[in-house]
Amino acid sequence: MTRPEKRGARWRRGTACHREAWRARVRAAREDKESESPGPPSSPVSLLPWLLLGMGAFSNLFQGETPNPLLGGLGVLTFNSCYIYVAVRAFVKEKREAVSTRVALAVMAVVTCGLALGYGGSWVLFFPLLGLAAGAALRGRHLRLAGIVLAVLAGAVSYLHNGWSGLGTAYATWISTIVTAVILSLSEAVRELRAAREELARQAVEKERLRFSRDLHDLLGHTLSVIVVKSEAARRLAPGRPDAALAQIADIESVGRQALTEIREAVTGYREGSLATELDRARSALTAAGVEPSVCRSGAPAEPQTAALLGWVVREAVTNVVRHSGATRCEIAVTGTQERARLTVTDNGTGAGGGGADGGGTGLTGLRERLAAAGGSLTAGPGPRGGFRVTAELPVETRSDEVRAPHGAEWAAAPGGRAGCAGAVPPVATGPTLGP
């Protein structure tokens, strides 16, 4: 590439970078604009310009057309001060419901009636201003009564000066009271809904992080444990039984490939669980670790979501048996009724399940949360004849939204809805065994 061509390429790259930066700034500005609170501003500034309705009264005072201007000026000053006080406090719920706000509204009502009765004319326009302040400060059950009382009061006072034409003032007072309250209430409701939506979004993010951390713990912890167990088995078999060692190595490769697939599915949130698959993998892992497995299934097959959750329990419990128990035998029993499904994993070892004396490791804690969200329960502790026992119970139809339903049946039941124990189950063929 010649030097002019290099300069042209650099210029094009620089132009593209500037263009992308400009687009990013435009997107950020648009997002900031969309994040602004809708409706009128949540401040008294939106109410203060309406004080211009009293300009006619100010004009009468300055032009000397008002008898006893000192009393009229004092009334205008009192009304405006109370109006500003109420407007400032109207945007905070605790302040607008305080007694001092109600007192300020009462003072405004008295001053408005006095000025309107004494002077008439443009002084009657203080009634719509009084209605606006009342609508801003009074919400809920008192609003309708306040609007009717102010409208009747404004109509009566206006009728004394202007006859039936004063009824327009009554209508304007009622409209200003109701419309102001409705607009400000809707604006406040929208802001509260936006805050609630942001809080729900934050909780959803936290929930997704928790789900991913639990899935990652179950997937990686289980997979790495199986890889270690099968690697040890391959090392023991390599000197005298190279074919068996190669089979274990092939299983390790299959486990790794399956782990990559399931981790991708866990990241995207579409991992599907299968109880039958987990039971087969558990039998293979226990056998490779030198633990005699015994799997017994009875009753009707569980619903897909229930079976998927029980599959997670099998995965975690068997991992703990392989890693912590030092057992020589492990029994897995699955029973199902019309209402509940029950899973029990019992070993004859001396170690604690779950990495703790009470079975309170991270994996079992996450499983308790999953099962509790589905209306079930999980208990873990020493077995009645020694060893360690993990028991999970779930309703037939779970309420959990954290497990996606697998496709197909979980296992093929024998006639009568009962499947035999481990002795009647054919061994697992060599190939992909225990995944992550």
Side-chain angles (χ1 to χ4, degrees), residues 15 31 68 109 214 226 281 292 301 318 331 333 352 370 393 420:
T15 303
E31 291 174 358
N68 198 352
R214 289 193 305 229
V226 173
R281 292 174 177 175
E292 180 184 355
V318 171
E331 298 179 358
R370 287 172 183 261
E393 291 189 1

Side-chain angles (χ1 to χ4, degrees), residues 233-235 237-238 241-253 430:
R235 177 175 53 81
L237 295 172
R241 299 173 58 188
D243 293 339
L246 289 176
Q248 293 293 335
I249 294 173
D251 285 348
I252 293 173
E253 180 182 1
T430 304

Side-chain angles (χ1 to χ4, degrees), residues 131 135 143-144 147 173-183:
L143 177 63
R144 181 181 301 177
T173 302
W174 184 80
I175 284 294
S176 64
T177 304
I178 301 301
V179 171
T180 301
V182 170
I183 291 177

Side-chain angles (χ1 to χ4, degrees), residues 24-36:
R25 286 194 296 269
V26 170
R27 286 194 298 268
R30 185 182 298 112
E31 291 174 358
D32 292 340
K33 185 177 180 180
E34 291 176 354
S35 64
E36 295 175 356

Side-chain angles (χ1 to χ4, degrees), residues 9-363:
R10 286 197 298 269
W11 179 82
R12 286 191 295 272
R13 286 196 297 269
T15 303
C17 291
H18 286 298
R19 185 166 53 251
E20 289 299 326
W22 177 79
R23 290 176 179 174
R25 286 194 296 269
V26 170
R27 286 194 298 268
R30 185 182 298 112
E31 291 174 358
D32 292 340
K33 185 177 180 180
E34 291 176 354
S35 64
E36 295 175 356
S37 298
S42 56
S43 68
V45 177
S46 58
L47 299 179
L48 296 182
W50 293 99
L51 285 173
L52 295 175
L53 286 174
M55 288 300 296
F58 280 106
S59 176
N60 292 339
L61 285 175
F62 290 138
Q63 294 177 6
E65 300 177 358
T66 302
N68 198 352
L70 181 61
L71 183 60
L74 182 61
V76 170
L77 179 62
T78 303
F79 181 90
N80 289 345
S81 300
C82 291
Y83 179 89
I84 295 174
Y85 179 79
V86 172
V88 170
R89 299 173 66 85
F91 290 87
V92 181
K93 183 177 180 181
E94 293 77 11
K95 292 182 179 181
R96 70 169 173 259
E97 295 178 353
V99 177
S100 58
T101 306
R102 303 292 193 265
V103 172
L105 282 174
V107 172
M108 290 176 62
V110 172
V111 171
T112 301
C113 290
L115 294 176
L117 285 172
Y119 300 124
S122 58
W123 294 82
V124 178
L125 293 178
F126 281 106
F127 274 109
L129 273 177
L130 175 61
L132 192 147
L138 299 177
R139 313 278 179 87
R141 57 180 181 177
H142 301 298
L143 177 63
R144 181 181 301 177
L145 179 61
I148 294 174
V149 170
L150 290 179
V152 171
L153 188 60
V157 174
S158 300
Y159 178 78
L160 295 177
H161 291 281
N162 304 320
W164 291 106
S165 61
L167 295 180
T169 304
Y171 180 73
T173 302
W174 184 80
I175 284 294
S176 64
T177 304
I178 301 301
V179 171
T180 301
V182 170
I183 291 177
L184 294 183
S185 297
L186 288 177
S187 178
E188 184 175 323
V190 170
R191 283 191 291 270
E192 291 177 354
L193 288 175
R194 173 160 292 181
R197 184 181 64 181
E198 293 176 355
E199 178 64 20
L200 290 176
R202 184 186 63 81
Q203 293 179 0
V205 170
E206 292 181 356
K207 184 178 180 180
E208 181 64 16
R209 288 175 178 173
L210 179 61
R211 181 200 68 81
F212 180 75
S213 64
R214 289 193 305 229
D215 286 0
L216 196 62
H217 170 271
D218 294 341
L219 292 172
L220 292 183
H222 191 71
T223 301
L224 294 177
S225 298
V226 173
I227 288 176
V228 170
V229 170
K230 287 189 172 292
S231 299
E232 292 176 351
R235 177 175 53 81
R236 291 194 306 266
L237 295 172
R241 299 173 58 188
D243 293 339
L246 289 176
Q248 293 293 335
I249 294 173
D251 285 348
I252 293 173
E253 180 182 1
S254 299
V255 167
R257 293 183 184 277
Q258 185 67 20
L260 291 175
T261 301
E262 293 190 351
I263 287 176
R264 294 190 191 101
E265 293 173 350
V267 171
T268 56
Y270 291 102
R271 185 179 188 276
E272 296 180 352
S274 171
L275 179 57
T277 302
E278 294 298 339
L279 289 174
D280 292 340
R281 292 174 177 175
R283 188 185 299 107
S284 176
L286 291 170
T287 302
V291 181
E292 180 184 355
S294 174
V295 180
C296 183
R297 298 173 295 187
S298 62
E303 294 294 327
Q305 289 185 331
T306 302
L309 278 173
L310 294 180
W312 281 103
V313 177
V314 170
R315 173 187 291 263
E316 179 64 25
V318 171
T319 300
N320 291 335
V321 171
V322 172
R323 295 175 58 186
H324 305 296
S325 68
T328 59
R329 180 175 175 81
C330 178
E331 298 179 358
I332 304 174
V334 183
T335 58
T337 64
Q338 293 182 352
E339 297 180 354
R340 299 187 70 82
R342 179 185 177 94
L343 168 70
T344 303
V345 181
T346 307
D347 64 69
N348 64 347
T350 58
D358 59 348
T362 304

